[in-house]
Amino acid sequence: MAEIINYILEFLLQDRSYVRYVGYTKDTDEWKNYKVVIVPSEFFDYHKAGTSLAPHSPLEELSGTPILFGTPCISQTKDLVVIKADLVASAFYLLSRYEELSNPNRDKHGRFPASESIASKENFLHRPIVDEYGVKLRDALRSVGVNIPEPKAEMSVVLTHDVDIPYVYRNFLSILGGIKRGEFKQVLKNIFRPLRKNTFYTFPWLLNQDERLKNARKIYFLRNPLFPEYFDRPYNRIESPDMRYLLRELKQGEAELGLHVSYASANHLELIKEEKVSIERMIGRTITANRNHYLRLKTNKQLDALIGAGIKEDFTIGFADKAGFRLGTCRPVRYINPETLKVEDLILHPLTMMDGSFSTYQKMDFAQAYDTACKLIEQVKKHGGELVLLWHNSEVVDGNYHKQLYKILISYII
């Protein structure tokens, strides 16, 4: 427990040297040792007893910020602030995805949907309330004379692209499938064209857009499915001439390459390491970043398997069906295992928004998607967080608004 509490406080304060001023205890005899005391709720007691404690709805608010546990009460004397809102348990509940342990509801892909989350039900998915807890805790320290500096309010940006369908109608099976589906015009349009003219080969355009944000990190996640699973189609082998061409183009564009573990790997964990090794062998470098195909995270064992395979960073954690702050934060956070209460070294980079969330799931038009995206960006800017965008090469094509939206969002960020 001490490790969890220390890490949560450090995460909230964003400066470990000030953790010593904050106590997390009900023992009033110990309060004299601190400048700020957070009074624990019963949350961790229930967990120790093997029972999950869920927040009571509707949530109460502490100066406008929803709290999941404790009561929205702050008292202050000259030398001490006592906070009865359990900011530690509330932050832990969100950062660790604790609610997913007790809620069995999943979508058809085995994913925990936004519609089942407390963040969506209580209407705060669009706000990184864990970062708001940090603001309140730092303010409390300042109110009793602790001169804790405000973190740098400088947003970082990670532009990510999942290479799910890099091109279409480039082999016999793909052409046959297109004909069976009645996609005659698209087949004829692509069958005799060079790769760079392929409908889905939009990488030169994406690389040019990404380059506009000079200080942004750019990651292209590559798939090499090794198991015949329906949702892992198409099977574009990493060794194919077309994929080799793409890899050369990404290298010239100085893009970082990540692992896009297959849909099947959620049920066959051994595939994670095998797929990683296969791609590393092809590109001649070590991969340390990952995102799961379909954002498919069924169990925490998948995260454990990523660690075992040598992955250091994961970019999976976001809801497919709704954009927002799934972990309650817009900052990278270490993976907190909600079952073992261990803080692992794997860094989770919360996904802020994905192209398909706006159009496919939320059925937004361009104006609605742009407005929602800008509001999320402003939240990340406000807290000096990390903005993570996911745009697919197969979405920035004629027929939808994602090409225009991506371009205008890059301009907005600049």
Side-chain angles (χ1 to χ4, degrees), residues 165-182:
I165 313 175
Y167 38 75
V168 287
Y169 313 122
R170 296 286 295 176
N171 57 54
F172 176 76
L173 288 177
S174 177
I175 293 168
L176 183 62
I179 293 173
K180 285 183 176 180
R181 293 189 296 271

Side-chain angles (χ1 to χ4, degrees), residues 64-221:
T65 299
I67 58 166
L68 279 59
F69 302 101
T71 57
C73 178
I74 296 181
S75 59
Q76 180 174 351
T77 63
K78 181 180 179 180
D79 300 315
L80 178 67
V81 174
V82 177
I83 303 174
K84 292 187 177 179
D86 192 346
L87 303 183
V88 172
S90 297
F92 169 83
Y93 191 86
L94 294 170
L95 294 174
S96 69
R97 305 171 3 267
Y98 191 87
E99 66 182 336
E100 299 176 30
L101 290 180
S102 56
N103 187 336
N105 295 328
R106 299 293 187 270
D107 68 9
K108 67 178 183 180
H109 300 295
R111 303 173 302 195
F112 184 72
S115 58
E116 289 292 326
S117 71
I118 188 170
S120 183
K121 291 177 179 178
E122 293 287 336
N123 195 32
F124 64 78
L125 184 59
H126 62 292
R127 293 167 57 184
I129 67 168
V130 173
D131 299 323
E132 294 182 24
Y133 295 160
V135 173
K136 295 185 185 304
L137 188 54
R138 293 191 297 271
D139 285 345
L141 283 172
R142 294 189 192 105
S143 71
V144 285
V146 179
N147 189 26
I148 181 172
E150 194 63 23
K152 292 181 180 179
E154 185 175 346
M155 179 177 73
S156 59
V157 181
V158 187
L159 305 173
T160 71
H161 310 284
D162 293 353
V163 186
D164 295 335
I165 313 175
Y167 38 75
V168 287
Y169 313 122
R170 296 286 295 176
N171 57 54
F172 176 76
L173 288 177
S174 177
I175 293 168
L176 183 62
I179 293 173
K180 285 183 176 180
R181 293 189 296 271
E183 299 166 355
F184 304 112
K185 288 185 178 180
Q186 283 297 316
V187 171
L188 289 174
K189 182 179 179 181
N190 287 282
I191 192 171
F192 299 116
R193 281 183 167 188
L195 180 61
R196 287 180 66 86
K197 296 292 185 179
N198 191 273
T199 300
F200 280 7
Y201 197 86
T202 57
F203 300 101
W205 185 87
L206 280 172
L207 287 166
N208 286 334
Q209 292 302 310
D210 291 352
E211 182 58 28
R212 293 169 59 201
L213 282 177
K214 299 298 182 182
N215 295 323
R217 185 178 177 187
K218 297 99 175 175
I219 311 176
Y220 287 71
F221 290 97

Side-chain angles (χ1 to χ4, degrees), residues 33-49:
N33 299 321
Y34 306 103
K35 292 293 185 180
V36 172
V37 168
I38 300 171
V39 180
S41 62
E42 297 179 316
F43 174 80
F44 288 112
D45 294 331
Y46 271 77
H47 179 84
K48 289 177 184 177

Side-chain angles (χ1 to χ4, degrees), residues 204-365:
W205 185 87
L206 280 172
L207 287 166
N208 286 334
Q209 292 302 310
D210 291 352
E211 182 58 28
R212 293 169 59 201
L213 282 177
K214 299 298 182 182
N215 295 323
R217 185 178 177 187
K218 297 99 175 175
I219 311 176
Y220 287 71
F221 290 97
L222 304 175
R223 293 194 312 125
N224 193 31
L226 302 176
F227 189 88
E229 172 69 50
Y230 176 84
F231 289 105
D232 279 319
R233 297 186 303 176
Y235 302 110
N236 295 303
R237 293 301 180 191
I238 199 77
E239 302 90 352
S240 70
D242 286 344
M243 286 301 293
R244 287 175 183 268
Y245 184 93
L246 170 59
L247 289 173
R248 287 195 296 271
E249 187 136 33
L250 294 178
K251 183 177 181 180
Q252 291 171 2
E254 299 182 341
E256 181 180 344
L257 302 180
L259 172 67
H260 199 34
V261 294
S262 65
Y263 188 96
S265 70
N267 295 326
H268 306 275
L269 298 179
E270 71 279 0
L271 291 174
I272 292 175
K273 188 170 185 179
E274 293 174 13
E275 291 171 10
K276 178 175 180 286
V277 169
S278 71
I279 293 178
E280 288 176 334
R281 186 181 298 120
M282 179 62 199
I283 66 176
R285 68 181 81 165
T286 300
I287 289 177
T288 59
N290 171 75
R291 174 179 286 132
N292 295 0
H293 191 35
Y294 273 76
L295 303 182
R296 195 183 192 211
L297 180 60
K298 292 179 63 179
T299 70
N300 292 311
K301 290 181 179 179
Q302 290 170 260
L303 295 176
D304 297 335
L306 288 175
I307 295 171
I311 292 295
K312 306 297 182 185
E313 302 174 277
D314 184 77
F315 290 81
T316 302
I317 311 298
F319 289 120
D321 56 325
K322 198 170 185 179
F325 304 102
R326 180 175 180 176
L327 298 182
T329 182
C330 59
R331 295 187 292 121
V333 59
R334 289 170 64 186
Y335 162 43
I336 302 172
N337 190 315
E339 297 170 284
T340 64
L341 298 188
K342 285 188 61 178
V343 182
E344 304 287 358
D345 289 333
L346 179 67
I347 302 298
L348 306 180
H349 296 262
L351 174 62
T352 315
M353 65 186 81
M354 177 178 71
D355 46 18
S357 298
F358 297 130
S359 56
T360 303
Y361 290 93
Q362 295 185 264
K363 308 299 182 184
M364 292 181 174
D365 59 25

